[in-house]
Amino acid sequence: MHMADALLSPAVGGALWAASAGMVVYAARKLEKDPDPSRAPLMGALGAFVFAAQMINFTIPGTGSSGHLGGGLLLAALLGPHAAFLVLTSVLAVQALFFADGGLLALGCNIFNMGFFPCFVAYPLIFFPLAKPGASRKRVLGASLLASIVGLLLGAVAVVLETGASGISSLPWGTFMVLMVPIHLAIGVGEGLITASVVLFARRVQGTSLEAPSRDVKPLVRGLLALALLTGGLLSWFASTHPDGLEWSLFHATGQEALGSPTTSVHETLADVQGHTVLLPDYALPEPTAISGSAAPEETPWPAVSGGTSLAGLTGGLLTGLLALALGWILRWRQACRTSS
């Protein structure tokens, strides 16, 4: 559900940048008041895992579409909502800057849509009341499914509203909404199953409450890092070749593979910035320039065994993990400085 800049006006994109930045400041200040020496390593390991997991699109049967883990609810279940929001912000920032996944103008919208609703709505109002520490496996599964569906549906509706408010595309608003809601309901089921699986894995490894883990989180951190390496390095080859829910909805609403890019100075400037920061566009090595008259490229095989994809998964996981870890350490250091002064 990564929005592209082509859907947004500078005014709407800027407003959501401001809203997301305000949420980042709010979350950081809340964490400064609640120091936990185990949080920073978990933030780093979970950031690496969620980045890698988002590379794997799973097919939605009977639709020709696919979805991928959003990760907001999973992060909130393991870290609490405030740390989760900061980690997901790290994931989305690395994706946009270094892999051209989502536009820079749209980054504020993507953070808000994929972070705010699962972390600050679905988690406290649905997941936590149903799956408090000690809840049965069935309750964790049920809470994960319900909260994931609600969080994704709210994010999908927000995408449509932000696109409509921008008014720069010819998308039929009603058709877009009708397509986005049911496809993301289906994706929410997949997200819920993944979330429950990882939460139960973490509970088994950690053996204690997840929001207030024991000081020794090394087993859980090691387990998450191993999953991140496996997912980004190998399982990413098995990602579905179908378009994701947003791309699928755009195509069926317009009949076009891609929307034309707006030509405002803001769009052009940010596209130029992204062009200079991107390392592996679309999580792959840059393709060689096609030779005139050469044969048309063959259809991408599945699984797509690719060293470039593995490199992207491992590099992105490392960058995201380090950024999330640094955020955790900085917040802990700031709180220590205030306490000692």
Side-chain angles (χ1 to χ4, degrees):
M1 199 163 58
H2 294 69
M3 294 182 75
D5 288 353
L7 296 174
L8 295 168
S9 67
V12 172
L16 269 296
W17 255 93
S20 295
M23 291 302 301
V24 166
V25 172
Y26 164 76
R29 288 180 175 173
K30 292 291 287 186
L31 289 183
E32 284 184 22
K33 299 177 182 179
D34 182 26
D36 181 351
S38 68
R39 182 182 290 119
L42 280 176
M43 288 175 67
L46 281 164
F49 171 72
V50 169
F51 178 95
Q54 285 196 6
M55 292 181 65
I56 304 179
N57 280 40
F58 49 86
T59 297
I60 306 300
T63 65
S65 179
S66 68
H68 64 74
L69 179 73
L73 180 67
L74 169 62
L75 291 168
L78 299 181
L79 290 168
H82 305 102
F85 190 82
L86 295 182
V87 173
L88 192 60
T89 297
S90 302
V91 172
L92 295 171
V94 169
Q95 289 174 338
L97 284 170
F98 302 118
F99 300 92
D101 190 2
L104 293 187
L105 178 61
L107 181 57
C109 289
N110 289 329
I111 291 172
F112 190 85
N113 299 340
M114 298 175 68
F116 173 78
F117 294 113
C119 294
F120 295 111
V121 179
Y123 171 75
L125 299 182
I126 299 174
F127 182 88
F128 186 73
L130 295 176
K132 292 181 179 180
S136 67
R137 295 169 63 89
K138 289 184 178 180
R139 286 185 68 87
V140 171
L141 175 59
S144 298
L145 286 169
L146 182 58
S148 293
I149 289 171
V150 170
L152 272 183
L153 287 182
L154 290 174
V157 170
V159 168
V160 178
L161 295 178
E162 290 154 5
T163 302
S166 294
I168 63 171
S169 70
S170 57
L171 272 172
W173 189 89
T175 303
F176 191 31
M177 180 72 79
V178 168
L179 290 166
M180 282 286 284
V181 169
I183 198 65
H184 282 89
L185 188 154
I187 294 171
V189 174
E191 169 125 1
L193 294 174
I194 296 170
T195 297
S197 298
V198 178
V199 168
L200 291 172
F201 164 79
R203 176 194 281 184
R204 183 168 62 251
V205 171
Q206 192 62 24
T208 185
S209 171
L210 295 173
E211 269 211 308
S214 63
R215 292 186 177 181
D216 183 14
V217 296
K218 291 179 182 178
L220 181 54
V221 168
R222 285 196 296 265
L224 290 168
L225 289 177
L227 286 176
L229 289 171
L230 175 64
T231 304
L234 295 177
L235 297 184
S236 55
W237 297 347
F238 295 86
S240 171
T241 57
H242 294 308
D244 69 18
L246 176 55
E247 295 169 341
W248 179 90
S249 298
L250 289 171
F251 173 74
H252 283 80
T254 65
Q256 301 176 5
E257 293 288 343
L259 297 178
S261 299
T263 57
T264 69
S265 59
V266 173
H267 286 87
E268 291 177 347
T269 299
L270 291 177
D272 183 63
V273 170
Q274 191 175 46
H276 284 85
T277 62
V278 66
L279 297 175
L280 296 167
D282 297 322
Y283 307 101
L285 294 171
E287 295 183 0
T289 304
I291 301 174
S292 178
S294 61
E298 298 181 358
E299 185 177 348
T300 303
W302 189 92
V305 179
S306 168
T309 300
S310 296
L311 178 62
L314 298 176
T315 302
L318 176 63
L319 291 173
T320 306
L322 289 175
L323 178 56
L325 178 65
L327 286 173
W329 276 343
I330 289 170
L331 292 173
R332 182 183 173 191
W333 171 75
R334 283 173 57 86
Q335 198 279 337
C337 290
R338 290 184 178 182
T339 302
S340 61
S341 62

